[in-house]
Amino acid sequence: MTILIVFAAMTAALVVMGFKLGEDANPADVELAALEWVGIGASQVPRRDGDNWEVDVVRPDGSMVQVSLGEE
């Protein structure tokens, strides 16, 4: 339960903080940006969600952070 709460809080924080990407951003750019936000971890395949990109990053302890990046 605690891991879920931490995951939700981190996801919300990353979405609110936002990240600027240009219109020409590609999956490799998005993956690097997500890893920069999270720090250490293994990223999953970036995916589009409307105008935003989303990337799940799995940390060494097994927890996962969902990073949402947009053009804002």
Side-chain angles (χ1 to χ4, degrees):
M1 183 66 157
T2 302
I3 292 174
L4 179 60
I5 293 169
V6 170
F7 168 72
M10 292 189 74
T11 300
L14 290 171
V15 170
V16 170
M17 289 164 52
F19 187 85
K20 293 186 179 187
L21 290 173
E23 290 181 17
D24 61 342
N26 62 52
D29 295 335
V30 174
E31 182 177 5
L32 288 174
L35 288 171
E36 183 177 313
W37 274 103
V38 175
I40 232 170
S43 65
Q44 304 293 313
V45 177
R47 60 193 178 279
R48 292 290 261 166
D49 182 17
D51 290 338
N52 295 327
W53 285 91
E54 290 188 354
V55 183
D56 295 330
V57 178
V58 180
R59 295 174 159 198
D61 66 1
S63 63
M64 183 175 62
V65 178
Q66 183 183 60
V67 181
S68 180
L69 305 166
E71 296 178 14
E72 303 177 353

